[in-house]
Amino acid sequence: MRTKLLYMDDSYLKEFGAQVLEVNGERRAVMLDQTLFYPQGGGQPCDTGKIVVKGAEGSDGSGAEYVVKEVKKEAGEVWHYLDRQPTFAAGASVHGTIDWARRYAHMRMHTAAHVLAGGFMARQGALITGNQIGTEQTRFDFALDNFDRELMERMVAQANAKLAEGLEIKIYTLPREEALKIPGIVKLANALPPAISELRIVDIGGFEVQADGGTHVKNTNECGRIVITKMENKGKDNRRIYFTLQ
């Protein structure tokens, strides 16, 4: 990958400078040498926002503003899809700003979901079979033998108790072999691709430790409380919880 992912080191950054590496006019997409925009993946939606291209248009020197509508990782590269065809070329300098309200909502949801998943794994041995983080509501699927509403409500209550403890979140990397020795480091039902030699670890106060490439808050106090909005039985060994945060 040619793009440095700035959010991997600091999810709280809102603005950044970059240079354009490639422009695909037909697809209205650009590749940058570095970015704060999270590309859709792992159940977390992409960031949106804007980029201002210096000197691309206008006589006032303010540059041309483009809306970043979607960000995707394709063939190992990150592409930013714009609201219109770009009029600039590779080598242009840009200033990017993410939609912070959207990003922060995803951060809170993602960290809360990790705490909930950690409880399910520790107490029920249940892996995650699917997930979709949202700004208003998040969905998580767990591999459980039975559809037990009381159990799921109890697990959410336990997760809320953990969130209220104000656990600090630490993020670091470990060699793959070393990371995989940590019990429960991978909670997705599908194993990690073998090509990944180093894993980014999200450690929530030692309670929940997981390999993950998404964005998170610094302390569980920022999440608030998990509130179940819906529970569903999705077939054999697959139970679904929808929740929001308050």
Side-chain angles (χ1 to χ4, degrees), residues 26-168:
E26 183 178 346
R27 295 197 301 160
R28 299 180 177 179
V30 298
M31 185 191 304
L32 307 176
D33 66 341
Q34 59 181 10
T35 187
L36 276 180
F37 288 90
Y38 180 84
Q40 179 179 333
Q44 180 173 333
C46 70
D47 286 321
T48 57
K50 66 180 181 180
I51 59 170
V52 175
V53 186
K54 300 175 183 177
E57 292 176 4
S59 59
D60 61 356
S62 61
E65 183 175 301
Y66 293 80
V67 175
V68 179
K69 300 177 67 176
E70 195 172 16
V71 186
K72 295 181 180 180
K73 188 180 290 185
E74 299 171 341
E77 301 291 355
V78 175
W79 287 94
H80 304 69
Y81 287 84
L82 309 178
D83 61 334
R84 66 186 191 277
Q85 190 166 0
T87 60
F88 53 91
S93 296
V94 306
H95 182 83
T97 305
I98 63 170
D99 179 339
W100 174 245
R102 175 183 170 90
R103 156 66 73 81
Y104 191 58
H106 292 160
M107 288 164 59
R108 294 176 64 235
M109 284 284 196
H110 200 171
T111 300
H114 270 226
V115 172
L116 180 60
F120 267 99
M121 182 68 178
R123 295 175 177 83
Q124 305 298 324
L127 291 173
I128 301 165
T129 55
N131 65 95
Q132 184 59 57
I133 294 167
T135 55
E136 302 293 334
Q137 179 174 265
T138 289
R139 167 182 64 80
F140 253 63
D141 295 350
F142 295 95
L144 290 170
D145 292 337
N146 301 306
F147 182 60
D148 188 334
R149 289 180 179 272
E150 184 179 342
L151 169 64
M152 290 191 282
E153 288 173 352
R154 189 164 65 248
M155 297 308 298
V156 167
Q158 292 174 358
N160 281 331
K162 276 294 173 185
L163 291 174
E165 289 181 15
L167 304 176
E168 291 187 6

Side-chain angles (χ1 to χ4, degrees), residues 196-211:
I196 300 177
S197 59
E198 282 200 339
L199 299 183
R200 178 176 181 261
I201 310 300
V202 176
D203 184 337
I204 304 177
F207 166 73
E208 155 63 8
V209 184
Q210 186 176 158

